[in-house]
Amino acid sequence: CVCVCVCFQVRASKNDSNRRSKNWNAWWAHPLAPSDARWKSVKDFQRVNHFPGTFCIGRKDRLTRCLTRFRRRVGKDACNFYPKTFLLPSEYESWKKAYRDSKGVWIWKPSASARGMGIKLVTKLDQVSKTKSGVIQSYLASPLLIQGFKFDIRLYVVATSFNPLKLYLYDNGLVRLSTRKYHKVQKHSSDRSRYMHLTNYSVNKKSSHFEPRTDDDFLACTGSKWSLHALWKHLQDDRGYSKQEVLSLQSRIRDIVTKTYISAEDHINTQMAMSKLHRTNCFEIWGVDVLVDSNLTPWLIEVNTAPDMSASSPLDKAIKGSVFTDTYTLVGIPIANSASKSQQVLSKLRSNAAAAKGGGDTDQGVC
């Protein structure tokens, strides 16, 4: 602990009188706009917990645009993991035609909200405004259920570089259950309970049927929140799915994560270059939400650039704490706690880079 306190300094918060100090190792910040001038003051050895421009997949409207472009590049079959989506109000007429041609229902979401705020099930045409901004998606009406309840999976993804792209998918995660038993809703129905259709913890914790977890057992299939390990066990032991079927599902989920970030690669690398950042300056933890349908097919729901990392239960603490620990291990923040040491680290980094480019020998020690 003494070593950490002496050698590792976190950038002061915005309320700190010393917040203008340039002598820091890591900055845990809110997402910064690519145009934010503070990007250009980041030294090569310093680490920031966001990449510039990640809202290209962190907002629902921009994620839709990003995946639409990606689908044009790779073909529909290689990018068939995202529900049919329309951007409103610009694509209202196209959506209206699709609504009239379809037999199912739709789900409307604000472009930039979180925690389930503003989301509503759409069963009637007049529920959707012609002028309000948002996205509307084909509703996945046949989800895989756990004991009759709808659920989704919160995955934790860490990126340490976009050039080259380096992603790490945490092998555990959270399974979040709704709190009202699911049944299919038909077009023109008025049954649109949020506790049935939404799986967000922020929504369902308010339900009288929410069952909080009081333990950190990764394999316990109890309560309204499970670990991902418990889901894999449940599918094989209680639902009769084979090990090969579960492994195939896991593989397709990894494929979704990989393709989603490839779709954002060019945009984020452009923003990194414009901000004059070193490729190791940034890292980021994302929460990627996936829903599995009754055919055991995974679907991307959304990407969260600032997932909730608070611990509302021992299970949350165990999983999210491990995510934090692994992230800082992966990032490998250089030790430097003085202006002179900062310059020494920067000089070494530049010297190593120049030598590698020229093929010469160099001292590989940074700190």
Side-chain angles (χ1 to χ4, degrees), residues 138-182:
S138 177
Y139 184 66
L140 301 173
S142 298
L144 185 67
L145 303 178
I146 293 177
Q147 300 166 358
F149 297 97
K150 184 179 176 182
F151 71 93
D152 75 351
I153 300 170
R154 165 59 61 86
L155 303 167
Y156 293 100
V157 178
V158 174
T160 57
S161 170
F162 270 83
N163 182 26
L165 181 61
K166 293 183 180 180
L167 296 176
Y168 300 86
L169 176 61
Y170 185 55
D171 71 345
N172 207 348
L174 291 170
V175 177
R176 307 173 301 180
L177 283 71
S178 64
T179 48
R180 179 179 169 189
K181 289 203 171 183
Y182 181 83

Side-chain angles (χ1 to χ4, degrees), residues 28 49 156-158 283-287 304-305 307 309 323-324 327:
W28 195 267
N49 71 313
Y156 293 100
V157 178
V158 174
F283 67 97
E284 191 154 353
I285 301 173
W286 280 276
N304 299 273
T305 56
M309 299 302 287
V323 171
F324 272 123
T327 298

Side-chain angles (χ1 to χ4, degrees), residues 7 14 35 64 80 91 111 118 137 150 157 190 197 210 220 236 255 295 307:
C7 297
K14 63 181 181 179
S35 58
T64 300
N80 57 0
E91 297 178 342
S111 297
Q137 289 183 326
K150 184 179 176 182
V157 178
S190 58
H197 298 288
F210 181 78
Q236 291 186 71
D255 187 61
N295 294 318

Side-chain angles (χ1 to χ4, degrees), residues 51-52 162 267-282:
F51 290 85
F162 270 83
H267 176 80
I268 293 174
N269 279 326
T270 298
Q271 297 300 326
M272 290 280 289
M274 291 175 65
S275 299
K276 298 182 179 179
L277 291 165
H278 189 273
R279 63 185 178 86
T280 62
N281 275 143
C282 302

Side-chain angles (χ1 to χ4, degrees), residues 62 64-74 263:
R62 296 180 189 175
T64 300
R65 292 190 184 99
C66 211
L67 290 176
T68 299
R69 290 192 295 268
F70 183 68
R71 188 180 292 115
R72 293 195 192 107
R73 284 169 49 195
V74 301
S263 75

Side-chain angles (χ1 to χ4, degrees), residues 42-43 49 83 137 149 192 216 222 359 363:
V42 176
K43 305 288 190 298
N49 71 313
Q137 289 183 326
F149 297 97
R192 301 187 296 273
D216 60 0
T222 58
D363 180 5

Side-chain angles (χ1 to χ4, degrees), residues 308-325:
D308 178 16
M309 299 302 287
S310 61
S312 59
S313 71
L315 181 66
D316 282 278
K317 184 176 181 179
I319 291 176
K320 295 175 182 179
S322 293
V323 171
F324 272 123
T325 302

